[in-house]
Amino acid sequence: MKQIVLVLLIFAGVAFGSYLISGGKAFPLRTVFNEGIYYVCAEDLAPAGVGYIHSNGYHYIVYDNHVLFIKEHETIFDFVEKLSPPLFVDGLLFVPIDALKKVMEGYQVYTKGEKVLIYDSLPIVLSATKEKNGVTITYTGTIVPDMVSVEKSMGRVRINLSPVVVSLPNVSEDIKVELEKNGLSFVVDVGNFYPDVEYSIGDGKMLFRFLLVEGFFGRLEISDGVVFERKIEEFDEGEKTVVNYLIMDPEKVTIKPVVSGNGFGTIERLDEMVKRVGGIAGINGNYFDPVTKFPIGLVVIDGKPYSVMFSGRPVFAITEDNRVFIGRIIVDVTLMMRDVLFLVKGINTLGEGEVLVYTREFSKEIPEKDDRIYFVVKDSKVSQIGYKSRAEDSEYVVSISKKYEKYLSDLKEGDGAYLSLQPNIPLRIKQAVEGGPLLIQNRAPIPDALEEKARYGGGIAYAKAPRTVIATKDGKLWFLVFEGYNHITRGLTYDELVNFLVSRGFEDAMCVDGGSSSVMAVAGSLFGRTENSTAAIPVGIVVWEKKKTEVGE
């Protein structure tokens, strides 16, 4: 969040250039403010049709039927009226504002701070609409950054637009409009938090985003069916921890894993990942190898496997009928090549195996070995027999040990090829991420907790560390990030997590990757990141509003 704050401070403090607005377009102006007088570079007025002639030490500024005659330290309007003297900077002529007002009839001049706006017509603000995490303003004409200012206070944002046509736009009922001398202001109630504000100016539309500042504590509805809450919780006789809750109605959101933008074998900051795919929130997903950056365990996206199971660890899955599953499951991936069935040993992996599959998300060149045969599959058909270094688009490359070559000797292009998920319980998996350890089932600690803790090396289950938990309660799906490695708490152990979740009535719960990977992105901000964490991961779990699922695709 500190980076965003820095950008906004620069945005607010560094002066934007002055502008000439003519014919619906904005052109930068070089200006000087000297001894109380504004000056504009004569050469920059050309887009408005202002002529500039320099000859024999004399300067002429011509517009319509008027002329400014400039010699040495004199400015004369229409060869009669003396005005403020000109300014010369590095050989460039700068014309005083009072002279421009005389010669450029039909244009208005507006000064703000040390900047100047010269315009032929003002923009008209048409509407302002409040959204969950921002405001959209529509307008006609041209708006440049110097026309916009934002004031922030606890629970409120004030958007000032000036100069614009002073008229009442259409606004949603939770926005208050105030008309002023040269413009208007929108006052927006943002709830119980102090926001950061980012905005962009497009063609006829401005988008203002309200971001949560670092250090936010409170509860905020970020979209229909999604609530974010950050608070200090007590556990085990007075110990404290900071918990970030994301509480979701599964019927109102779309949730799926997202792979780093550059593919398997690379990592990406979670907040950038969420923004890239148009999500509203997210958490970190699979464990991963810190050296190779490849995820560990099952990844299923929209019913397609992108990585196979690691060792029977618990899985968070969403079914085709939108039910949430948290628990132990064995999911095999099979490949049917015409009438021969294979068990896939690896997908998008650097590891070995008799049958391997590579999708376009594999960031490396596919290994080519003499003891293997290769096929390319697209649209459930063999599209190429032979090696290919990278899969493209929706295709995938199959690498099979040559000892099975005799079973595929008659295979030809156009024959069917199908990848399938084969869970050991009747479950139609649409999205899935493997994690662990498993924490509770049916509101109670699991009976084999000792064995579950032993499945994870490095004392993961026994150390106090930040944790990312996926849980269910009261018909809602909960993402929880327990902070650690800070002045409030070191984090929680496995047993402390279990006691916490049981005491608060959670039903089923499991961890995904924790420690420095534990992080939650909400409304453009990061929460839970430790001091030494980059918040970069190979796989995240991202949330979209249901009405915007096409963005997530």
Side-chain angles (χ1 to χ4, degrees):
M1 196 60 223
K2 292 178 180 177
Q3 290 180 329
I4 293 177
V5 172
L6 177 61
V7 169
L8 291 173
L9 287 175
I10 292 172
F11 187 83
V14 174
F16 285 93
S18 300
Y19 291 92
L20 167 68
I21 298 175
S22 180
K25 296 182 179 180
F27 305 92
L29 288 176
R30 287 168 286 184
T31 59
V32 174
F33 184 69
N34 183 51
E35 296 183 355
I37 300 176
Y38 294 91
Y39 297 86
V40 176
C41 182
E43 294 179 355
D44 296 343
L45 299 170
V50 176
Y52 172 41
I53 303 169
H54 176 207
S55 177
N56 297 323
Y58 298 116
H59 303 263
Y60 301 88
I61 305 295
V62 181
Y63 183 76
D64 283 349
N65 298 318
H66 297 293
V67 61
L68 289 177
F69 173 63
I70 297 172
K71 65 176 181 177
E72 297 179 351
H73 301 294
E74 291 185 334
T75 302
I76 304 174
F77 175 64
D78 286 347
F79 301 102
V80 174
E81 183 181 356
K82 286 189 177 182
L83 303 172
S84 299
L87 189 67
F88 290 90
V89 179
D90 295 330
L92 295 175
L93 169 63
F94 283 77
V95 183
I97 279 292
D98 63 339
L100 288 181
K101 289 180 179 178
K102 285 275 191 178
V103 77
M104 293 181 67
E105 287 185 342
Y107 278 81
Q108 300 294 314
V109 177
Y110 176 80
T111 57
K112 185 177 182 180
E114 296 186 1
K115 301 304 170 183
V116 177
L117 290 174
I118 301 175
Y119 49 86
D120 55 0
S121 62
L122 288 177
I124 301 173
V125 180
L126 302 176
S127 68
T129 305
K130 174 74 163 51
E131 299 169 355
K132 290 295 181 183
N133 62 341
V135 169
T136 299
I137 295 175
T138 63
Y139 63 92
T140 62
T142 302
I143 289 182
V144 296
D146 264 358
M147 294 180 174
V148 184
S149 66
V150 176
E151 302 172 30
K152 303 171 293 182
S153 59
M154 184 63 185
R156 195 182 79 162
V157 172
R158 182 186 183 93
I159 301 168
N160 305 306
L161 303 178
S162 179
V164 297
V165 172
V166 180
S167 62
L168 279 173
N170 294 319
V171 298
S172 43
E173 61 184 15
D174 42 9
I175 298 178
K176 180 182 177 182
V177 182
E178 295 181 1
L179 301 182
E180 299 170 357
K181 181 179 179 181
N182 294 306
L184 51 85
S185 297
F186 298 108
V187 181
V188 187
D189 184 356
V190 298
N192 188 31
F193 78 103
Y194 186 93
D196 271 345
V197 181
E198 286 183 343
Y199 70 87
S200 60
I201 302 174
D203 186 13
K205 180 182 291 186
M206 288 184 287
L207 302 177
F208 292 79
R209 296 181 64 226
F210 304 152
L211 308 177
L212 302 177
V213 298
E214 185 177 19
F216 165 83
F217 283 93
R219 184 181 177 93
L220 182 69
E221 183 180 4
I222 63 171
S223 75
D224 184 25
V226 182
V227 172
F228 171 67
E229 185 172 14
R230 184 171 185 257
K231 62 182 178 177
I232 297 176
E233 296 271 31
E234 290 193 1
F235 68 98
D236 285 5
E237 299 181 358
E239 286 200 59
K240 294 181 178 180
T241 181
V242 177
V243 187
N244 300 278
Y245 297 95
L246 194 67
I247 308 161
M248 295 157 285
D249 182 343
E251 297 298 323
K252 295 183 177 180
V253 294
T254 294
I255 302 168
K256 68 173 74 175
V258 171
V259 177
S260 169
N262 290 321
F264 282 88
T266 69
I267 56 178
E268 181 180 13
R269 271 180 55 122
L270 177 64
D271 54 337
E272 294 171 356
M273 178 185 292
V274 172
K275 181 178 180 180
R276 172 173 59 85
V277 299
I280 58 172
I283 56 172
N284 59 291
N286 298 65
Y287 289 88
F288 64 96
D289 186 317
V291 177
T292 66
K293 314 303 183 197
F294 277 82
I296 298 171
L298 182 69
V299 178
V300 178
I301 305 174
D302 293 331
K304 299 176 183 179
Y306 288 83
S307 181
V308 299
M309 292 205 73
F310 173 63
S311 61
R313 290 176 173 179
V315 168
F316 159 61
I318 296 177
T319 65
E320 293 285 353
D321 55 356
N322 213 38
R323 290 186 297 115
V324 174
F325 172 86
I326 296 173
R328 295 195 187 110
I329 186 174
I330 301 298
V331 181
D332 290 329
V333 180
T334 60
L335 172 67
M336 178 70 78
M337 301 284 285
R338 199 169 63 181
D339 54 357
V340 182
L341 184 66
F342 295 96
L343 180 64
V344 176
K345 295 295 185 180
I347 302 177
N348 295 321
T349 177
L350 296 175
E352 300 292 334
E354 293 180 340
V355 180
L356 303 174
V357 171
Y358 303 91
T359 71
R360 69 180 180 88
E361 286 75 16
F362 187 69
S363 66
K364 313 294 183 182
E365 187 171 291
I366 297 171
E368 182 179 17
K369 299 182 179 180
D370 293 337
D371 61 348
R372 305 189 72 84
I373 52 178
Y374 297 87
F375 305 91
V376 181
V377 177
K378 185 174 183 179
D379 299 329
S380 300
K381 293 181 181 180
V382 177
S383 61
Q384 175 182 322
I385 298 175
Y387 172 78
K388 186 173 184 177
S389 62
R390 291 183 185 274
E392 301 177 70
D393 300 325
S394 62
E395 68 185 19
Y396 56 89
V397 177
V398 179
S399 171
I400 300 179
S401 170
K402 264 191 176 176
K403 71 180 185 179
Y404 297 111
E405 188 172 19
K406 61 183 179 180
Y407 299 106
L408 299 170
S409 59
D410 295 334
L411 191 72
K412 61 183 182 300
E413 292 182 5
D415 285 345
Y418 309 93
L419 274 177
S420 301
L421 297 171
Q422 304 292 338
N424 65 340
I425 59 175
L427 203 67
R428 296 174 61 208
I429 297 174
K430 186 174 183 180
Q431 324 289 349
V433 163
E434 183 178 346
L438 186 61
L439 298 167
I440 61 173
Q441 297 255 258
N442 300 317
R443 302 179 185 271
I446 59 175
D448 57 345
L450 287 176
E451 291 87 344
E452 179 69 4
K453 288 187 279 189
R455 290 190 177 99
Y456 302 84
I460 287 176
Y462 299 94
K464 280 185 172 290
R467 307 283 181 175
T468 302
V469 173
I470 301 174
T472 56
K473 177 182 174 182
D474 301 331
K476 301 291 179 62
L477 176 63
W478 296 60
F479 291 164
L480 301 85
V481 170
F482 294 80
E483 297 185 16
Y485 303 161
N486 59 36
H487 66 285
I488 297 177
T489 177
R490 292 295 300 162
L492 281 74
T493 67
Y494 176 95
D495 290 333
E496 289 169 341
L497 267 182
V498 169
N499 293 338
F500 181 95
L501 294 166
V502 170
S503 69
R504 285 156 174 81
F506 286 93
E507 298 154 4
D508 300 316
M510 61 173 275
C511 288
V512 284
D513 194 10
S516 60
S517 294
S518 281
V519 68
M520 180 181 289
V522 180
S525 301
L526 276 174
F527 295 92
R529 182 163 60 131
T530 62
E531 183 177 350
N532 297 320
S533 170
T534 63
I537 52 175
V539 178
I541 304 172
V542 177
V543 181
W544 292 264
E545 293 181 83
K546 202 75 166 182
K547 64 183 180 181
K548 294 183 179 178
T549 54
E550 69 279 3
V551 180
E553 300 293 345

